[in-house]
Amino acid sequence: MPGPGFCGLSPLRVFPSVFVVAALLGLLPVLRSHGLQNTVTSKVSTMGLYIGPGEGDVTSAPPEVKQEVHPMTNHSGTPHMKTRKAFPVLGIDYPHVRTPFEVSLWILLACLMKLGFHVIPTISSIVPESCLLIVVGLLVGGLIKGVGESPPILESKIFFLFLLPPIILDAGYFLPLRPFTENLGTILIFAVVGTLWNAFFLGGLMYAVCLVGEPPINEIGLLDNLLFGSIISAVDPVAVLAVFEEIHINELLHILVFGESLLNDAVTVVLYHLFEEFAGIDHVTFFDIVLGFLSFFVVSLGGVFVGVVYGITAAFTSRFTSHIRVIEPLFVFLYSYMAYLSAELFHLSGIMALIASGVMMRPYVEANISHKSHTTIKYFLKMWSSISETLIFIFLGVSTVAGSHHWNWTFVISTLLFCLIARVLGVLGLTWFINKFRIVKLTPKDQFIIAYGGLRGAIAFSLGYLLDVTHFPMRELFLTAIITVIFFTVFVQGMTIRPLVDLLAVKKKQESKRSINEEIHTQFLDHLLTGIEDICGHYGHHHWKDKLNRFNKKYVKKCLIAGERSNEPQLIAFYHKMEMKQAIELVESGAMGKIPPAVSTVSMQNIHPKGLPSERILPALSKDKEEEIRKILRNNLQKTRQRLKSYNRHTLVADPFEEAWNQMLLRRQKVRQLEQKINNYLTVPAHKLDSPTMSRARIGSDPLAYEPKPDSENLPIITIDPASPQSPESVDLVNEELKGKDSVLEEEEDDDPGLMMHPKEPSSPGTDDVFTPGPGDSPSTQRMLRCLSDPGPRPEPGEGEPFIPKGQ
Amino acid sequence: MGSSQSMSEEVRELVSKTGFSSDQIEQLHRRFKQLSGNQLTIRTRRTQLTWMATRQSSWAFNHSSLQTDMFTSKENFNNIPDLELNPIRSKIIRAFFDNRNLRKAPNGLADEINFEDFLTIMSYFRPIETNMDEEQLEHCRKEKLRFLFHMYDSDSDGRITLEEYRNVVEELLSGNPHIEKESARSIADGAMMEAASVCVGQMQPDQVYEGITFDDFLKIWQGIDIETKMHVRFLNMETIALCH
């Protein structure tokens, strides 16, 4: 079927299905009241509870849908009966828009559902979202069927070509590389040996069941059973992600289960194609089996190779995009997608290719692209993957209702049973083996979670759906069994895993922000361990990692990263990221007029004892002086703004207008706040500067600083930081290092040097924010003045998202 | 002790002292002999010869290289080619001679270490055992962190002062010639402020945070499972590092 037709319906049958969606949406209030009044069945009542308020509370979104849908259905009914050409221009041409219309409608439905779940916090804390979505899918499918239509089925083509890649790319691009590489051996063993074991154990046992079974199933041969086993045995990344994201399990377990689900794709692909091929031919020779074994390496390594090639190409391309920032994110998406498609083209593992390309390109791309592009990439990936995930689960539900089923108790129940047994045995056996080599052993608790986290999902379903009915007459039986296993794992295991994690007191993920200290210590530890390995003459992990880093720094980075940043050590890059993030946070909190919750009051003078508090004098500002300061400030702010704006227009390629306008608003708001707060800003600086951080910190902590001149002149220098949301006594330390825009500007962005607040340069824009009442202050006494929370100089930080992705 | 001839009795003693297995001790002893040139101790001598001399002596071990030394590092360790590239090389070598780590004295540096001392240092890098209980784990964690802390706290005053911290960061970044001291310092300053805010919280403007104490250090490391990170595999050592 060409094109992304979501449902395989003929045009004529489409209108009712559209109507059904409309009806469903219209039905929601009814459902809700139903659910609230009498608890019919538990499923329906939960449905009513979460959909109802979700739909109802979400202001105007649902009515819009109805408006969209109803006219269409109403009109669509009429023109067929009437004669044509009643109006020469106006007419209904639904087939013309059908596909995109339906696709959008489904996506809209998915989004609204997702929205609904998050409006009600109690439900989503008990039941995983994936379960709820499947239930929604079941209901939608049931409704469609109830109106006498055949509901759409999750087409394998759409699933593999459009729905799966975003999820995998998101996972690959934001893969926590460190734990992944540290546990790569374990993950590989689970993914390869574990999946093989599952497939053959299950296939073999199912064959035995079929042999002794009743007529309908005893025709299933060994190959068919093995094929079935290989389909059902692979842990599904989509399902695992959906559940594990919610339970916040510790990093090690998360990466073990999730990594396994990603890497077992190669095994699944090989086994699937192999058995499918074997089923078509008459007899399988030993040679075929050897070839099949070899093809495993070809598929997995080939996939990785394709991914790496595309990843490097993407990194190399991003080196030259500094003038066309707008399309930077597209390169990342397109190259990754191309990697996936190219791998699929040769029946290689597309998932491996996607992961490899994401992992490969990320460090270099991130160094090359702008901060904005990075945010765009992040948001797009997250958006796409979450929508894909939602759609996948909904369609899983719909397809369950839609597909024709062949329920056979013996087959289904034994499948489920053997699936669980195979998983448990596999994990136990493999951990016993792996623990011999691991330094950090896997405890029984870990093993339990790994076994229990082996969720099956839509990949298995789609693979089963792909089977050819002519070769596999038992396809429907297979699909039924697959769906049962999926539902069991997603519902039973997915719902109980959270209480079990709590019950077993499995270590959870520490929700700590990555701090500079941590980064320094981690790097220090890395070097230390490398050193110790060298001293005891052992060429271990750290040794090779160090070698690889050196190689990377020496050659690869030079080729793939443009300009200065190729020389930037990780620590500095990390520091810049932190600065940026904190600056953004500060601007945000400033704009919100709130002091951030984690207020701490440490400033540079606290840690650096050189400066003596005795130098401090308390300022005594009269009311009219205050008024004066305020006025000057306001004027200066506006002037700065204007100049920056015009400057932007000439130098920045990214569209500055919107940003400038927003910042103008922001600025105005801040000035207003300033007027309320100005009294709080009076304090005194203590000492001379040493480093940029210190100076920044001091200014951060003393937004309004009075410094007596060293000579006889008593005129103080007043520095005012108009936008700092803190009071002088309590300065958020986080914000303190907010060199933020300043240093970032200085050190990484060379394309807008004019925007920097240069220290020690009286004529620089930085002095705009300085109020110097005395005419006699010389440049030498001027301290480095930077407007800390001034969003002006930095056109970038529009978004308030932390720069560093959570997954790291 | 540490003599290369009769090990068996001493090995048993060392096993109980350091927790290494006898295999590991044997491996490490072979390595130790290599490093010390079959001497009983690895020595430190602060001769101040030039960089060139170190280079000329090449990586191959010979006695002339005993005479060549950078001025703070310890001569025997200088023969390890891979260590040469390590940015915190001098801190690592220093840690081996640190009396605090050797549990001999509260401060100062030892002039030479024998095999037992070498093992003592190495035992900081032993992985945790599976059968450890909470208390032992905590102890192990503290020991490891203390070792790290001593590496940072170069003047043994129980605090990592700002100067010491800056020094650490500068050394970390020293592998890169393009970095100015300025940025290293600002990173250290930022980290120090962060540490102060984590450890002290609210501070008055005239209050002074003198440095990170060991307790503060523990607090900073809270988020990281050091016991699962700071370890080295001691078996299967290859002895080609010296003879390249």
Side-chain angles (χ1 to χ4, degrees), chain A residues 619-637:
Chain A
L621 268 194
S622 61
K623 277 277 170 202
D624 46 322
K625 200 145 197 180
E626 255 179 59
E627 189 62 36
E628 196 184 349
I629 293 171
R630 217 178 295 159
K631 216 181 275 171
I632 290 170
L633 257 179
R634 207 178 311 157
N635 291 340
N636 276 347
L637 285 177

Side-chain angles (χ1 to χ4, degrees), chain A residues 599-619:
Chain A
V599 177
S600 106
T601 59
V602 187
S603 67
M604 203 57 210
Q605 46 192 351
N606 292 130
I607 64 166
H608 201 70
K610 264 200 242 159
L612 291 175
S614 57
E615 285 174 23
R616 298 155 55 96
I617 50 160
L618 281 173

Side-chain angles (χ1 to χ4, degrees), chain A residues 362-377:
Chain A
R362 186 179 180 201
Y364 310 110
V365 167
E366 256 179 24
N368 281 331
I369 63 176
S370 72
H371 178 213
K372 254 186 192 168
S373 305
H374 174 82
T375 315
T376 312
I377 291 174

